[in-house]
Amino acid sequence: GEDAMKEVRDIARLKQEHFVCLYLNARNELLGKKTVSIGTLTKSLIHPREVFSEAIALSCHSLILAHNHPSGSLEASPEDILVTQRLQSAGELLGIEVLDHIVVSKNGWRSIGN
C-alpha cells in the first residue's frame, strides 16, 4: 500500500486517467514500472496482454495495479472492479499474482484489490 503509493504518487493529480503496473520480484522489490494506458479505464483499454507482456519480460513474481481518478473520488467503479478481476484471473493462469489494485487521487489512495 504505502510503498506502492510512493511509486505512483506522480499520477495522483493528473487530469487524465493513467493505468500503471508495478512489477515485483519474489522479495517484493520493484523490477519495473509501466504506464499501460492513458484515458478512460475500460475493459477494452486494459488488455491483459499489455499488462503481462512486461511482467513476463521482467520475469516478475507479482505485480500491483494502480490508476488515478482525476475527479478526486477514491470509490472503485464497476469497471475498476471488472478490470481487477480480469487481470487477477489472467495472472493466475500465468503464475503471476496481482497483489493489489490501488486508486489514487489528490485526496489520497484506496485499495480495491484482493
Side-chain angles (χ1 to χ4, degrees):
E2 284 293 336
D3 290 342
M5 183 55 204
K6 287 177 190 152
E7 293 297 331
V8 297
R9 175 178 289 136
D10 56 329
I11 66 170
R13 295 181 180 274
L14 298 177
K15 302 278 187 276
Q16 262 188 304
E17 206 162 277
H18 285 59
F19 189 91
V20 175
C21 294
L22 302 176
Y23 301 101
L24 309 171
N25 66 17
R27 293 181 301 284
N28 287 339
E29 296 165 335
L30 187 66
L31 294 173
K33 172 181 170 181
K34 181 181 179 185
T35 300
V36 176
S37 165
I38 299 173
T40 308
L41 179 63
T42 64
K43 190 171 85 165
S44 59
L45 281 178
I46 309 298
H47 196 280
R49 150 177 79 240
E50 276 89 41
V51 170
F52 289 101
S53 62
E54 186 80 1
I56 291 165
L58 292 170
S59 297
C60 91
H61 180 265
S62 57
L63 55 88
I64 295 173
L65 311 169
H67 77 282
N68 64 315
H69 281 177
S71 67
S73 168
L74 292 173
E75 291 301 312
S77 70
E79 291 82 14
D80 295 344
I81 292 164
L82 187 67
V83 164
T84 303
Q85 291 169 340
R86 220 168 149 242
L87 293 173
Q88 283 172 330
S89 295
E92 284 172 22
L93 289 173
L94 295 168
I96 300 170
E97 187 181 1
V98 176
L99 296 178
D100 203 354
H101 184 175
I102 58 176
V103 175
V104 298
S105 81
K106 60 189 176 202
N107 297 317
W109 65 277
R110 175 178 291 169
S111 170
I112 60 167
N114 306 337

